[in-house]
Amino acid sequence: MNTISPAAAVVDSTERQAASARPTGFAHDTAAVFVRESRPLVRDPFSVVFSLVQPLVFLGLFGPLLVGAAGGDVAGTLQWFVPGILVMVALFGTASTGANLLFEMQTGSHERTLVAPLSRGALLVGRALKDVVPLVIQGTIVVLVAVPFGFGVDAAGLIAGLAVLGVFGVGFGALSYSLALACRNRDWMFWMVHQTLLFPLMILSGMLLPLDDGPEWMRVVAAANPLSYLVGAERALLAGDFGDADVAGGVVAAIATCAVGLAVGVRAMRRAR
Amino acid sequence: MPRKTVVMTNQMITARGLTKTFPAKGHAVEAVRSVDLDVADGELVAFLGPNGAGKSTTLRMLTTLLPPTSGEATVAGCDISRDPAGVRRRIGYVGQGSSGGHTQRVRDELHAQGAFYGLGRRETRVRAEELIESLELGQVANRQVQSLSGGQKRRVDIALGLIHRPELLFLDEPSTGLDPHSRANLWDHIVDLRRANGTTIFLTTHYLDEADQLAERVMVMDHGAVIADDTAWALKESLAGDRVTLTFATAADAASAASRIGGELDGVVVSVTAHGGDRALPSYIRELGDAGLVVEAATHRRPTLDDVFLALTGRSLREEAAAPESAVPDAQPVPA
């Protein structure tokens, strides 16, 4: 330390190179945040595959039990079960995405983005849009794994199904970020809410087991769960049945989740300190 | 977005009555109490004070991270409340934490940061390479931030803060937690960058030696208020004074000497605070010798900023600095 002395500026302030930051718009900011969030994914694509372990475990270990219990054939059971696993991928993938923000809030890199001249809304939307990328890749892999076992998929239906899941994922991811912003440095609270909500949401959507034989109250609760409609829509779409009434319900549920999630999330980000 | 008029003045920061109150358990905690600040273009100013003094909260208001409860401030020509976007475009900020995302590569983060500040693609790439070069990050540019050492991470933070060539750079506890070598290295870089660009630097620190050796002006903060504001030299001269210590053969001689020259008596030792202690010392020895009192040993110590803090508050900053961290932003109560 003692070799350093205060260095007076030798550059006259009038000659100094001016600050080069320029005003930007919402779309530019959203794209900039999206690109930043996507880069680790591009650098390390295998991270996408690692988070597939859980849905594949359900597919491989729960699927055979389902075949045995229902007494149906494998192909028929997969036709019912795989769309539910796709919704599970979307649900679990986006529900925990807030943990990344939570971590950045604690290390200081979130604070750095708050000092940058970025739109607060873009900080949220850019992040939420990023979550669609792993979701689409993972959904496609699940389907490709199931096809050799007799799962029949309609290509146009798959594209439409992934699009609906993507819309839902943006909204659910935004809710996860909102939770992170509300929890601030309380990790335990984030994970407690996450765990408390996730499994009831999953079971009460009929993605693992049909709710038709469940008690009345479960069917009532399931009717209020947007995931139920999403699961119904995915089953119809992946079978190529675009005309099914469940499709409209799923599309509405996905759009509603997206709208609510973005509204809550942008509001939370605007209030972030 | 309406462009606000930039006040044509060589004043980089002007704050009047800046106050921040946090609600906490039924009563209000005044973290910052009516702070007035003036920092001119090109200055290097240090905010010195113990943890919890309100340094970071003041910085967070000036950088638009926290809205003030009352008071106003103009930073780099823009009002922090009316034109926060203007402030953000003109300033660089290096917070207490690590700015780089842990799973991000260093160069990727610099590119993202360029886009965040509206720099063009080419401009961003050129600027990123400049900063990688000048902050000696070439070896680690393709590595993830989480794999870097503390000193390397801090240099990444500085690089991120400088991507848009800000006129004004805020540094919040830039060297906390670094080993002495990394601290010295970091300061070499900051001093070099300043010499090259003339950037105004406003930093907070609780390291006395940093404020003393690097800052042209020191503002001492305690309990939310600025209690002194001058050059380190002037603060020491006006508030602390030199310390002269004289040792005698017997307690009786010491007592007799203390009654002649004043000062505090402790056994055979007499301590006196004197301005220009280097000149006072020989004259004391001469004067006491004439009275038949033999000085056995004598020391003279220049004051430190810790003596300044002690004179101002009755507490030592060294003890405060050793206390556990309590002023991290996350620990602040949530503003309602």
Side-chain angles (χ1 to χ4, degrees), chain B residues 93-111:
Chain B
Y93 170 73
V94 177
Q96 284 185 15
S98 172
S99 300
H102 275 211
T103 57
Q104 298 274 356
R105 292 187 186 179
V106 171
R107 185 177 272 113
D108 287 349
E109 274 293 57
L110 285 167
H111 290 170

Side-chain angles (χ1 to χ4, degrees), chain A residues 22-34 110 112-127 181 262 265-272, chain B residues 1 84-86 88-89 115-118:
Chain A
R22 277 180 294 276
T24 53
F26 178 77
H28 168 278
D29 291 356
T30 303
V33 173
F34 177 87
H110 176 60
R112 161 193 137 217
T113 60
L114 290 176
V115 184
L118 282 169
S119 142
R120 291 290 197 268
L123 277 174
L124 190 283
V125 178
R127 277 180 181 273
L181 289 165
L262 289 180
V266 168
R267 194 176 130 86
M269 188 62 90
R270 288 217 174 108
R271 297 167 130 225
Chain B
M1 186 176 295
R88 289 176 193 148
R89 276 198 299 275
F116 288 176
Y117 282 84

Side-chain angles (χ1 to χ4, degrees), chain A residues 182-257:
Chain A
C183 292
R184 291 160 68 95
N185 52 353
R186 290 161 295 192
D187 289 56
W188 58 269
M189 190 188 275
F190 179 86
W191 291 113
M192 196 186 70
V193 175
H194 177 269
Q195 291 298 317
T196 308
L197 290 179
L198 212 54
F199 283 92
L201 275 175
M202 179 173 77
I203 294 165
L204 291 169
S205 70
M207 82 174 64
L208 295 178
L209 290 166
L211 293 170
D212 307 335
D213 302 329
E216 173 71 18
W217 68 264
M218 275 186 114
R219 274 174 282 150
V220 172
V221 178
N225 182 2
L227 286 166
S228 311
Y229 300 93
L230 213 55
V231 171
E234 293 299 318
R235 283 185 184 138
L237 285 172
L238 266 62
D241 196 356
F242 284 88
D244 196 296
D246 285 346
V247 172
V251 168
V252 170
I255 291 173
T257 306

Side-chain angles (χ1 to χ4, degrees), chain B residues 3-7 12-16 18 61-64 67-68 71-91:
Chain B
R3 298 295 298 272
K4 301 293 188 299
T5 44
V6 176
V7 184
M12 198 54 98
I13 306 174
T14 311
R16 290 292 174 265
L18 213 54
M61 286 192 280
L62 293 174
T63 53
T64 76
E72 52 187 38
T74 305
V75 174
C78 303
D79 188 285
I80 56 166
S81 303
R82 284 190 292 273
D83 187 15
V87 174
R88 289 176 193 148
R89 276 198 299 275
R90 288 170 175 81
I91 63 164

Side-chain angles (χ1 to χ4, degrees), chain B residues 20 22 31-32 54-62 66 332:
Chain B
K20 185 68 197 181
F22 291 111
V32 176
K55 308 184 299 285
S56 288
T57 305
T58 306
L59 217 64
R60 291 168 65 77
M61 286 192 280
L62 293 174
L66 209 56
Q332 280 170 358

